[in-house]
Amino acid sequence: MKPLLVARNLRRADSAREIFSVDYFSLNQGETIALIGPNGAGKTTFLLTLALLHQPTSGSIEIDGVTAGPNNLLHLRRRMAVVFQESLLLDMSVLGNLTTALRIRQAPRKTALARAQKWLDIFGVGHISSQQARLLSGGEAQRTSLARAFALEPDLLFLDEPFGSLDYPTRNSLLNDLGKILKQLNMTTLFVTHDYTEIPFLAEKTAVMYEGRIKKCGSNQEIFGHDFFQRNLWSPWAD
Ligand SMILES: Nc1ncnc2c1ncn2[C@@H]1O[C@H](COP(=O)(O)OP(=O)(O)OP(=O)(O)O)[C@@H](O)[C@H]1O
Ligand SMILES: [Mg+2]
């Protein structure tokens, strides 16, 4: 399989200390990798660096064989979309949130409208497209922010605990929908979560980050063993 994203010797440090240091990490075309690890391990910082939103202190990131640098950063960023735990919607209508994101990326008005409506429908929020985003429930807001990410038709998707604030029924229905969509689109995704039960819905592989290092990366079975669902309380970053 061909890696769509490759990070080499990637490191970020501030004046006080190192936040992460990863010798090698890759995401193949069409694969979803879950990234887990305790609070403060460096997952979000690593994800934002791979999404080219944070600058690394050193190291390189290649997208489709092209090394990211000042000359192509904007272009490469436009191939990516990020969804966070908080939906970060603009104070405008649900539809407006999607069309604005698309217009910023230069989509013609008609295309933007059609694509926005299509993705709102797929994520089950098409019927509330004229509602103000600030009035949405948590689940609706998260569906809207996923629809916005997919409407951008990214090659790479980054999800940072996107279901963290949702109740279980809402989370499960969203996980089911998202799992199917990722497979249909053959999307390449990095997915950070603290809830291991979410992993098999979306990802085939899991990477474990601890104190800024990727300690393990392998199939879900290699990382969690056979009794995956029974091992929720187990700490995979412990030796
Ligand atoms: N902009 C920043 N400047 C300095 N330190 C930072 C910055 N962002 C994060 N950190 C520190 O880097 C470490 C890793 O933070 P990060 O948010 O990446 O962890 P995380 O694994 O995502 O944690 P969580 O599971 O709680 O979301 C933390 O100790 C945090 O305080
Ligand atoms: Mg985080």
Side-chain angles (χ1 to χ4, degrees):
M1 236 188 276
K2 189 169 138 244
L4 181 60
L5 177 148
V6 179
R8 288 192 180 85
N9 302 315
L10 202 65
R11 186 171 164 272
R12 185 176 161 100
D14 60 23
S15 51
R17 66 196 184 90
E18 186 171 86
I19 297 173
F20 71 78
S21 176
V22 172
D23 297 341
Y24 184 88
F25 181 78
S26 69
L27 269 169
N28 289 330
Q29 171 67 54
E31 111 181 314
T32 295
I33 297 186
L35 179 62
I36 61 171
N39 292 131
K43 304 179 299 297
T44 295
T45 314
F46 183 56
L47 176 143
L48 292 174
T49 307
L50 293 180
L52 308 177
L53 294 169
H54 272 180
Q55 214 182 336
T57 308
S58 57
S60 69
I61 299 169
E62 262 174 39
I63 311 293
D64 236 348
V66 175
T67 303
N71 297 334
N72 58 17
L73 212 53
L74 198 58
H75 172 74
L76 292 176
R77 257 188 215 145
R78 287 190 168 161
R79 299 182 60 180
M80 306 177 177
V82 186
V83 178
F84 298 96
Q85 183 168 4
E86 308 80 35
S87 14
L88 302 179
L89 296 172
L90 301 173
D91 189 10
M92 52 169 58
S93 73
V94 166
L95 185 69
N97 265 276
L98 272 70
T99 50
T100 302
L102 283 159
R103 299 283 289 148
I104 288 170
R105 295 200 185 190
Q106 260 68 99
R109 180 182 293 272
K110 259 184 146 172
T111 314
L113 254 178
R115 230 198 267 169
Q117 196 62 54
K118 173 184 132 182
W119 283 102
L120 288 171
D121 287 341
I122 290 173
F123 277 100
V125 280
H127 61 296
I128 48 167
S129 63
S130 59
Q131 189 161 323
Q132 289 302 302
R134 74 186 126 82
L135 302 178
L136 297 176
S137 75
E140 290 164 346
Q142 217 42 331
R143 284 176 181 273
T144 303
S145 80
L146 283 162
R148 180 173 60 182
F150 279 87
L152 297 174
E153 297 185 347
D155 296 326
L156 269 161
L157 182 63
F158 294 93
L159 306 172
D160 193 358
E161 299 187 55
F163 313 113
S165 57
L166 303 182
D167 66 68
Y168 265 78
T170 305
R171 185 200 75 137
N172 285 350
S173 83
L174 200 44
L175 271 168
N176 270 315
D177 292 350
L178 184 58
K180 284 183 207 146
I181 293 166
L182 289 180
K183 281 204 176 63
Q184 268 168 18
L185 293 177
N186 198 33
M187 185 66 84
T188 309
T189 313
L190 183 66
F191 165 56
V192 173
T193 184
H194 283 293
D195 185 341
Y196 311 150
T197 64
E198 293 175 353
I199 293 174
F201 286 91
L202 306 185
E204 313 78 44
K205 279 168 75 177
T206 297
V208 183
M209 184 168 252
Y210 183 67
E211 294 182 347
R213 312 278 162 144
I214 304 266
K215 293 282 184 188
K216 300 174 194 170
C217 186
S219 70
N220 293 340
Q221 198 161 336
E222 280 168 328
I223 302 297
F224 293 99
H226 298 284
D227 48 349
F228 191 87
F229 288 105
Q230 278 76 53
R231 298 184 72 167
N232 256 331
L233 299 174
W234 174 65
S235 296
W237 49 85
D239 283 334

